[in-house]
Amino acid sequence: MGKRVALVLAGCGVFDGSEIHEASAALVHLSRGGAQVKIFAPNIEQRDVVNHLKGSPTEEKRNVLVESARLARGNIQDLAELKADEFDAVIFPGGFGVAKNLCSWAVDGKNCTVNEHVNSTLQAFHSAKKPIGLCCISPVLAAKVFPGCEVTVGQDKNVDGRFPDAETASAIAELGCKHICKNVNESHVDKANKIVTTCAFMCKAPLHEIFDGIGTMVQEVLKLA
């Protein structure tokens, strides 16, 4: 019997939802690892809707659960229905939707608030000592909810222009957490908290390197599960 993994989405599209390549990579690696996956998203309105062609916000209103259903091919549930005791692990892909819809990091940085169902999901898996996988910007969720944990969002300096959001590492440290510098094709395992993180698109890297990095995160999550 494969491990039972919940995947939590934040919409559909890098600038206002889940990063599509990250979500897809996680699903491919989970499939390869023999996992049984169910997909969830909060039933809330998006903070904003971005025209991905122009990179600018629009006046549209969209729902995070409805948009996430695009990625889930319609097979998705409200995050409020997720029960941690039915799963062995949970994984959060990245994308600006994490920082806009799952929490308010995009606006408030380290002073952000976390969506109640996201918070309760993280707390439930952590309390049950079940692994939590996070990539790209989503490690800030763990940094906010679990002070003292260890995570990576890549590097803490903009090495060769590959890490333009390196200041995120400093904000994580200001929350009382330890940032671990890792390359894009690596992940970090906080064994004490069973939190596995990888930087994904926080690094400007070829897509296959991001895919491989997410693979290491998924593999470590399944090992811990």
Side-chain angles (χ1 to χ4, degrees):
M1 184 73 74
K3 300 299 183 182
R4 302 163 300 168
V5 181
L7 188 83
V8 181
L9 298 179
C12 182
V14 59
F15 297 126
D16 58 12
S18 288
E19 211 297 319
I20 293 170
H21 298 294
E22 292 178 10
S24 179
L27 287 166
V28 169
H29 287 296
L30 285 165
S31 175
R32 182 169 287 147
Q36 301 176 58
V37 181
K38 287 190 178 180
I39 305 175
F40 298 84
N43 186 11
I44 56 174
E45 188 175 292
Q46 290 184 189
R47 178 174 288 275
D48 62 12
V49 177
V50 175
N51 179 325
H52 280 60
L53 181 61
K54 296 180 179 179
S56 56
T58 72
E59 296 300 316
E60 288 183 67
K61 301 293 183 185
R62 296 192 185 187
N63 178 280
V64 173
L65 179 59
V66 172
E67 292 302 297
S68 298
R70 295 174 179 270
L71 280 169
R73 298 171 61 86
N75 189 9
I76 194 168
Q77 292 174 257
D78 187 337
L79 183 59
E81 299 172 4
L82 194 162
K83 295 179 176 61
D85 59 2
E86 296 179 356
F87 295 91
D88 301 303
V90 64
I91 289 177
F92 289 75
F96 278 97
V98 171
K100 292 179 175 181
N101 304 325
L102 303 192
C103 71
S104 63
W105 187 278
V107 177
D108 303 318
K110 68 180 189 296
N111 298 316
C112 72
T113 56
V114 178
N115 171 273
E116 62 174 317
H117 295 303
V118 173
N119 192 350
S120 62
T121 295
L122 289 167
Q123 295 281 10
F125 277 85
H126 188 258
S127 296
K129 294 181 168 43
K130 294 179 178 182
I132 299 167
L134 306 137
C135 67
C136 194
I137 191 62
S138 65
V140 302
L141 295 172
K144 186 67 181 180
V145 176
F146 307 119
C149 71
E150 298 176 357
V151 299
T152 189
V153 289
Q155 300 291 321
D156 56 10
K157 294 181 178 61
N158 190 8
V159 182
D160 299 326
R162 282 161 53 89
F163 294 90
D165 301 305
E167 71 277 0
T168 304
S170 298
I172 286 169
E174 289 173 14
L175 284 169
C177 299
K178 186 174 182 180
H179 180 265
I180 309 297
C181 291
K182 289 286 183 178
N183 292 321
V184 66
N185 59 349
E186 299 175 314
S187 56
H188 175 69
V189 181
D190 177 348
K191 293 181 180 178
N193 290 293
K194 290 195 172 182
I195 295 171
V196 188
T197 51
T198 189
C199 69
F201 278 102
M202 294 293 277
C203 178
K204 289 185 175 180
L207 183 57
H208 71 278
E209 292 183 13
I210 291 163
F211 181 88
D212 291 345
I214 292 171
T216 68
M217 181 267 286
V218 170
Q219 288 166 16
E220 294 295 342
V221 165
L222 293 178
K223 281 182 195 173
L224 290 171

